[in-house]
Amino acid sequence: MEIENKLAQMGLELPATTTPIANFVPAVRVGNLLFVSGHIGRVAGGDFMHPGHLGQDVTVEQGYEAARQSMLEALTSVKSAIGDLDKVKQVVKLLCMVNSAPGFGDQPKVANGASDLLVNLYGDRGK
């Protein structure tokens, strides 16, 4: 429970498990690898956290927050699949998709909401 304790110390908690809204499964284990589907930052009740386009309707700070929430949603799926977030040995790949207005160029700053959370929780294993 080390990782969940770190989350609590950060003032964060895993959201409740939700049912996918499309035809996919949240995570699939193949051998000792876990493939996690894309997740969207949502608020209680299931609405999108910050709908709109980055650089038009949504600020970089709001996008960062939504990316962090998306990662919390993904970690919920990881826990459901393997039972304990402490079992994660290494994050291998992180893909962030940012709904951006034309001309917006700060996608990495937004995606850091997810990657910073992983590094804060797992250290070098989260990179």
Side-chain angles (χ1 to χ4, degrees):
M1 301 262 313
E2 178 184 335
I3 298 301
E4 289 189 60
N5 288 338
K6 284 184 182 181
L7 280 171
Q9 291 170 0
M10 297 169 67
L12 301 171
E13 61 183 41
L14 294 177
T17 303
T18 59
T19 302
I21 59 173
N23 190 16
F24 71 94
V25 292
V28 174
R29 188 173 187 166
V30 179
N32 64 348
L33 297 176
L34 185 68
F35 295 86
V36 182
S37 296
H39 288 69
I40 298 171
R42 296 182 183 275
V43 295
D47 292 333
F48 293 123
M49 179 171 266
H50 296 294
H53 293 86
L54 267 295
Q56 180 178 317
D57 313 302
V58 181
T59 67
V60 169
E61 294 78 16
Q62 289 172 317
Y64 181 99
E65 179 185 23
R68 182 180 66 186
Q69 183 63 33
S70 296
M71 182 50 62
L72 288 169
E73 302 272 348
L75 289 171
T76 295
S77 294
V78 170
K79 183 177 178 183
S80 293
I82 64 174
D84 185 353
L85 294 177
D86 293 344
K87 291 181 179 179
V88 173
K89 301 294 181 211
Q90 179 69 50
V91 174
V92 176
K93 181 179 181 179
L94 174 62
L95 174 66
C96 293
M97 292 182 260
V98 179
N99 186 17
S100 308
F104 182 79
D106 283 333
Q107 289 85 353
K109 290 180 182 176
V110 171
N112 277 342
S115 54
D116 287 351
L117 177 60
L118 289 174
V119 171
N120 286 330
L121 293 174
Y122 291 103
D124 286 341
R125 297 181 303 145
K127 288 184 179 181

